[in-house]
Amino acid sequence: MTGCAFHGKMARMLRLVIANLNYSSWSMRPWLALKHARAEFRCHDVGLKTEAGWKERILQFSGAGNVPILIDGALCVHESLAICEYVAELFPEAKLWPEARELRARGRAISCEMHAAFASLRSELTSNLRGRTVLRSLRPETRADIARVFEIWKASLDASGGPFLLGDFSIADCMFFPVAGRFRTYGVELDDTARRYSEALFRLEIVKQLEAEGANTPSIPEYDAFLSH
Ligand SMILES: N[C@@H](CCC(=O)N[C@@H](CS)C(=O)NCC(=O)O)C(=O)O
């Protein structure tokens, strides 16, 4: 975390520095957490791969060189999961983590797993919320990642009783929403549990708002190319 370029210029208002909401799964996660918490915040899209100077704009706020970054006064928080945690602390009434300790532990474990793993799924099924295709074949590693996601979803829904992973909507759903989006984009066949959970996500008003935000953002051809692999 670093000092912030916005600090001191304006009245305190949360700011989320993001990339294109159609493609940036990492940006979607804290965006959903903030919306669920009914937080007032402004988004600053750096223009990833579409506008000159996008990398320098990110580096103004975080030496890690990645978005999302949440700015709260002098504080810049980078890393999507850390931002979700910060939002949970700022808005405890939003109950972004469940009260039951066991479910909270599960939620943190699966959110960390989402953050750290699934490399094959992420690289073969690039996030593209508005894109639609049906991929004919997938790498075995991607199929294994998909099976693990289904396993996590089923175990969590069984433990909590649903309709979301930990019962009510939580950070765990923010972390896994982009995966449900990837499954829809690339026509991945869902089992019954995964289909019901995905439908619950896509029915959410904040998800509809996110889809509307992502609908008209600039196209990034190198990501759209994955639709025709
Ligand atoms: N671990 C980071 C990953 C963030 C990330 O990879 N963000 C991408 C956009 S989705 C990015 O900023 N890429 C910049 C680049 O490619 O140089 C997080 O969870 O926030």
Side-chain angles (χ1 to χ4, degrees):
M1 291 184 292
T2 53
C4 272
F6 279 134
H7 182 48
K9 286 188 189 161
M10 295 179 200
R12 185 161 167 169
M13 155 76 87
L14 291 175
R15 292 160 195 282
L16 187 64
V17 183
I18 54 168
N20 188 316
L21 278 175
N22 181 55
Y23 304 98
S24 175
S25 59
W26 297 114
S27 302
M28 293 174 200
R29 293 171 166 118
W31 190 97
L32 285 171
L34 284 159
K35 283 285 174 186
H36 177 76
R38 298 176 186 273
E40 265 190 68
F41 68 104
R42 294 212 183 114
C43 279
H44 296 266
D45 185 334
V46 295
L48 179 87
K49 296 182 194 274
T50 54
E51 286 174 38
W54 61 268
K55 191 71 176 180
E56 290 70 28
R57 276 195 289 285
I58 298 177
L59 288 168
Q60 271 186 283
F61 299 108
S62 165
N66 288 325
V67 287
I69 303 158
L70 183 74
I71 301 171
D72 185 11
L75 178 71
C76 286
V77 188
H78 66 293
E79 289 293 334
S80 53
L81 187 50
I83 298 172
C84 290
E85 291 279 6
Y86 186 70
V87 174
E89 290 187 15
L90 278 184
F91 302 96
E93 66 285 357
K95 297 192 189 314
L96 275 159
W97 285 125
E99 270 162 30
R101 188 167 52 210
E102 295 81 359
L103 282 178
R104 229 173 26 249
R106 168 184 286 282
R108 290 200 163 111
I110 62 176
S111 296
C112 285
E113 186 174 345
M114 180 67 251
H115 195 249
F118 304 110
S120 186
L121 187 157
R122 280 213 274 263
S123 65
E124 194 171 13
L125 308 180
T126 301
S127 197
N128 193 331
L129 206 48
R130 64 183 175 235
R132 295 290 182 276
T133 188
V134 178
L135 286 191
R136 269 174 255 116
S137 67
L138 292 172
R139 292 193 295 252
E141 297 85 348
T142 301
R143 286 202 300 274
D145 281 351
I146 292 170
R148 175 62 188 150
V149 169
F150 287 178
E151 184 178 63
I152 290 171
W153 287 1
K154 181 164 177 15
S156 302
L157 292 162
D158 284 351
S160 71
F164 297 102
L165 293 176
L166 307 177
D168 293 329
F169 185 84
S170 74
I171 287 176
D173 304 296
C174 298
M175 293 306 289
F176 278 92
F177 166 74
V179 180
R182 289 165 198 249
F183 290 169
R184 182 179 65 172
T185 297
Y186 295 96
V188 171
E189 205 175 317
L190 304 181
D191 63 23
D192 284 350
T193 307
R195 199 187 56 253
R196 271 198 303 278
Y197 172 55
S198 299
E199 286 170 358
L201 286 173
F202 287 113
R203 270 198 301 271
L204 285 171
E205 209 43 54
I206 56 172
V207 165
K208 289 182 186 154
Q209 284 175 33
L210 176 62
E211 291 187 275
E213 293 282 333
N216 297 308
T217 60
S219 293
I220 303 181
E222 75 179 80
Y223 296 149
D224 285 340
F226 284 84
L227 296 172
S228 46
H229 274 194

